[in-house]
Amino acid sequence: MAKYGEGDKRWIVEDRPDGTNVHNWHWSETNCLEWSRTFFNNLFNNLKILDGEGGFYIAVKKVEKVDGEAYVNVRKGKIIPGYEISVLISWEGEARDSDGKILHKVSGNVEIPYISDENADEDPEIRVSVKDEGKIGKTMKEAVIVKGKALILEKVRVWVESMSRGGPVKDELETKKVPPQKVAKKKEEEAVVAVMAAKEKEKKKEEGKKGCKTIRLNEKFNCRAKDLFEIMMDENRWKGFTQSNARISKEVGGEISIFDGSVTGANLELEEGKLIVQRWRFGSWPDGMQSMVRIVFEEPESGVTVVKLTHTDVPEEDRYGNATVVENTERGWRDLIFQRIRSVFGFGM
């Protein structure tokens, strides 16, 4: 999907002199990022997580930042939301005695690293951190995880639902509803909108960030999905089949370092035998460049595993101007990882 302000010219109609958008036929796009910041601030304002249970009082302090992109496309009254955002929330806690006297204060953050329209029906990952790693700090952190996670996810769902209804343009749409039309014609128009939306979303997937590409591979192995997952999350076996040093955390949020430190990153999502999502960065890439690796494990039949790799935001050039980054990265996946796993562990088909 084209970025905000860069819509497909085939579908953008020039504004009429009188400013009228006839029957909402124009493909209009509204930037919703600033609106989302205000929306989240209102959602989390004074949200209480604990209110005296066990002598603890914990509440959200404020929304520190909302980054990424969020927008709503509208054509013929059809709402097509798009968003990929991250949210950082700060929280504060107090331990009090029976008289209400404050004994200890603790603060920390709640990070929601990835909220996407593609996963609108799934709850996003939530990471909780605390600045005080003492006994009380750890207890409050656990309370935020146990008690606060459900409250925070509930607020996120409210925002997702609001985006699906048009976000900041909802009221405008209510006052400019399209007059009733014949059922057949209406269905035809909705089909056109659906096709356009699908094409725009696919285009966005392919393009990713400006100057970046996406690598997609499907590889088959003669093994169980569980076994292959374990190999790819085991630093000792990584050292074996790559003949290089590796450090791989098995925890979400944990760091990874492979190929003697040439590639570094972190675990974003882990589902045993089914899914690995990691952030990857090559040392030769331009400063600030980060990519996303998503590996889906499928077992269509017993003893046969299909790996579906999607590696997004791979820069076309490295920091030295070499334009072979995508080609070399794809070759690395095929030859230095997948093929070596087959050879070393006997998983060839």
Side-chain angles (χ1 to χ4, degrees):
M1 185 175 291
K3 292 184 178 179
Y4 176 68
E6 298 179 2
D8 191 327
K9 293 182 179 180
R10 294 172 299 173
W11 300 106
I12 296 179
V13 183
E14 294 296 329
D15 291 337
R16 285 170 46 132
D18 59 6
T20 303
N21 183 355
V22 182
H23 297 317
N24 292 318
W25 183 261
H26 300 63
W27 180 285
S28 64
E29 183 168 287
T30 301
N31 189 343
C32 302
L33 187 58
E34 196 57 43
W35 171 86
S36 296
R37 290 179 175 132
T38 301
F39 196 94
F40 275 114
N41 272 302
N42 292 334
L43 280 176
F44 289 108
N45 184 39
N46 294 322
L47 177 65
K48 293 181 179 179
I49 297 173
L50 283 183
D51 193 20
E53 296 93 325
F56 292 124
Y57 295 80
I58 304 175
V60 169
K61 181 182 178 183
K62 67 175 181 177
V63 176
E64 298 291 341
K65 62 180 180 178
V66 178
D67 291 333
E69 60 177 353
Y71 46 86
V72 169
N73 289 323
V74 180
R75 180 172 181 269
K76 202 66 175 178
K78 181 75 173 181
I79 300 169
I80 307 160
Y83 48 86
E84 287 185 2
I85 64 169
S86 62
V87 180
L88 182 66
I89 303 164
S90 60
W91 60 270
E92 290 183 336
E94 296 176 348
R96 304 179 187 175
D97 61 18
S98 58
D99 297 324
K101 181 181 178 181
I102 298 174
L103 303 175
H104 199 86
K105 284 188 175 183
V106 172
S107 62
N109 292 319
V110 175
E111 181 186 6
I112 312 173
Y114 189 66
I115 307 174
S116 168
D117 61 283
E118 294 183 356
N119 304 315
D121 57 344
E122 302 174 10
D123 287 332
E125 175 194 359
I126 288 182
R127 303 173 188 170
V128 179
S129 62
V130 65
K131 296 177 182 178
D132 181 354
E133 290 292 344
K135 183 177 179 181
I136 294 179
K138 290 181 179 179
T139 301
M140 288 197 187
K141 175 183 176 181
E142 187 63 26
V144 174
I145 294 173
V146 174
K147 296 286 187 179
K149 183 176 179 180
L151 295 173
I152 292 169
L153 286 176
E154 180 183 348
K155 301 299 183 183
V156 171
R157 293 187 201 110
V158 171
W159 177 82
V160 169
E161 176 64 20
S162 184
M163 284 291 290
S164 72
R165 296 178 181 274
V169 300
K170 177 185 176 183
D171 293 339
E172 180 183 348
L173 291 172
E174 289 296 322
T175 60
K176 294 184 179 181
K177 285 187 176 178
V178 180
Q181 301 179 19
K182 294 181 180 180
V183 175
K185 184 177 181 180
K186 184 176 181 180
K187 287 185 176 180
E188 180 182 350
E189 291 167 351
E190 289 179 348
V192 171
V193 171
V195 170
M196 288 169 58
K199 287 182 177 179
E200 288 288 341
K201 182 164 285 190
E202 187 62 30
K203 181 180 178 182
K204 182 179 178 181
K205 284 183 182 179
E206 292 296 329
E207 291 180 348
K209 295 178 182 176
K210 187 176 181 180
C212 296
K213 297 292 185 180
T214 296
I215 296 170
R216 290 186 174 85
L217 298 174
N218 288 348
E219 300 286 331
K220 189 176 287 188
F221 297 82
N222 188 21
C223 66
R224 298 182 304 173
K226 180 176 181 292
D227 296 333
L228 190 55
F229 176 92
E230 290 177 353
I231 287 172
M232 299 198 72
M233 292 302 300
D234 187 318
E235 62 184 41
N236 290 321
R237 282 184 270 193
W238 260 91
K239 292 176 184 177
F241 74 77
T242 65
Q243 294 296 295
S244 62
N245 289 323
R247 287 186 298 103
I248 301 175
S249 170
K250 296 185 179 181
E251 303 294 329
V252 173
E255 296 183 351
I256 64 171
S257 174
I258 55 178
F259 294 112
D260 294 325
S262 295
V263 178
T264 56
N267 297 320
L268 302 181
E269 294 180 52
L270 296 174
E271 189 173 351
E272 186 174 359
K274 294 183 179 180
L275 177 68
I276 296 174
V277 181
Q278 296 173 327
R279 183 177 68 248
W280 276 36
R281 169 175 167 75
F282 288 71
S284 60
W285 287 1
D287 292 341
M289 295 297 298
Q290 301 275 359
S291 67
M292 183 84 69
V293 169
R294 183 181 183 86
I295 305 173
V296 177
F297 300 82
E298 296 180 354
E299 199 167 336
E301 57 183 284
S302 180
V304 175
T305 297
V306 175
V307 167
K308 295 184 177 180
L309 165 76
T310 306
H311 192 165
T312 58
D313 299 332
V314 180
E316 294 181 277
E317 294 186 354
D318 62 17
R319 65 169 70 232
Y320 310 109
N322 298 314
T324 58
V325 175
V326 177
E327 178 185 349
N328 291 339
T329 303
E330 182 172 342
R331 185 185 302 115
W333 276 109
R334 291 187 187 278
D335 300 341
L336 302 182
I337 297 178
F338 294 141
Q339 191 53 43
R340 287 197 181 180
I341 289 176
R342 291 190 184 96
S343 300
V344 172
F345 299 100
F347 292 164
M349 297 299 293

